[in-house]
Amino acid sequence: MTRSRQHPAGDAGHRGSAAPGPRARRVGTGRAAREPRLLPGRGVLLAAPAVVPVVLVLGVSLTAALGQSLGLMPFIGKPSLSLRGWSGAAAELATSVGASAYIATASTAVALVVGFVLAAYVLAAPRPGRVVAALSAATIPVPHLIGAGSMGLLLSDSGFLDRVLGLPDGFPALVGSPWWSAVIIEYAWKESAFVALVVIGSMSRSMTGMCDSAATLGATAWQRIIHVVLPLSVPALAVSGLIVFVYTLGSYETAWLLGPISPEPLSVRAVRLFGSVDLAARPEAMATALVSVAVGGAAILGGVAVLRARRDLR
């Protein structure tokens, strides 16, 4: 009797725990039905209207440039495959690559340092930092052509700075310098404001609480900058630095106005050859432009790979 009474109860308990009742099935089915189903390629579909036209325009432009550099789409004459645009001035092309890489690297490094200092000051001192942030933001809409002209009037041998400070005769020239001093200064001045705004926008919310906690634990202002602000700003600095490098690599006006005549950066060489009266120089112009695109693309891919590797390490 005891065994017969316990068996149905155990069996019923086992069945109840294994199979939910009809009410539970209806509730679970209703919740599952009410949940939105996300398409696997929804992000790609949403970005397609903006990405597809850009990819088409770039693809057609790069294909046409490649065809012209190989002599398959000549401005005059019959098409004929030729590598003269690539091998005709290979030494000058390599020198242009070195000059462009030097200008972009130096300008980006200075812009990152100055931009980080500006961002740290704005975040550490909110009231006076607002004035600094406003002045920095005011430089962003200024075109590089106007900025380069202003730097030329300021830093030239008989410019405003020379007349105010009375620089000695042996002071090194900044405009037209073989070290591209005025070019780097102009790029650093313009792009440091961009770097500062990117850093401020990316870490303004999370930085305040962490700095307050570090100050409560006895950290000095310098320690808070090194151990709190700098690690938090590394992703923003990396992304903004990559943007500044690629933009500086392809910029033309500043290097043309403030730089020396030789060596020529890639952008200056491409524009000069493209506007030359000698139409036979058009393949060299297209080859120079394609090399500039290749260097910029390699920089982008390398930067993205470094950012992904750093994120995976976390």
Side-chain angles (χ1 to χ4, degrees), residues 21-165:
R23 180 181 179 85
R25 290 198 191 100
R26 288 195 298 268
V27 172
T29 305
R31 289 178 180 176
R34 287 195 299 267
E35 290 180 356
R37 295 182 179 179
L38 298 178
L39 297 177
R42 186 177 181 181
V44 178
L45 294 177
L46 292 175
V51 174
V52 171
V54 175
V55 172
L56 289 177
V57 171
L58 286 177
V60 173
S61 301
L62 294 177
T63 302
L66 181 61
Q68 291 186 20
S69 68
L70 296 176
L72 301 178
M73 298 177 63
F75 192 78
I76 55 174
K78 296 181 180 180
S80 61
L81 181 62
S82 174
L83 297 177
R84 184 178 302 175
W86 294 88
S87 60
E92 295 181 4
L93 190 59
T95 304
S96 297
V97 172
S100 296
Y102 164 72
I103 295 171
T105 303
S107 302
T108 304
V110 178
L112 288 177
V113 173
V114 177
F116 173 74
V117 172
L118 290 174
Y121 179 76
V122 171
L123 294 172
R127 291 185 179 180
R130 293 176 183 176
V131 179
V132 177
L135 294 176
S136 300
T139 63
I140 293 180
V142 178
H144 275 276
L145 181 61
I146 298 177
S150 302
M151 284 293 173
L153 296 174
L154 178 66
L155 303 176
S156 60
D157 294 339
S158 59
F160 180 77
L161 188 64
D162 185 22
R163 296 182 181 184
V164 171
L165 299 180

Side-chain angles (χ1 to χ4, degrees), residues 209-225 227-228:
M210 292 187 178
C211 284
D212 292 341
S213 301
T216 303
L217 296 174
T220 62
W222 180 253
Q223 290 175 342
R224 292 196 298 269
I225 292 174
H227 298 288
V228 178

Side-chain angles (χ1 to χ4, degrees), residues 6 14 35 61 71 100 116 124 140 175 212 215 221 229 248 254 294 306 313:
Q6 292 178 352
H14 178 72
E35 290 180 356
S61 301
S100 296
F116 173 74
I140 293 180
V175 177
D212 292 341
V229 180
T248 307
T254 304
V306 171
L313 290 176

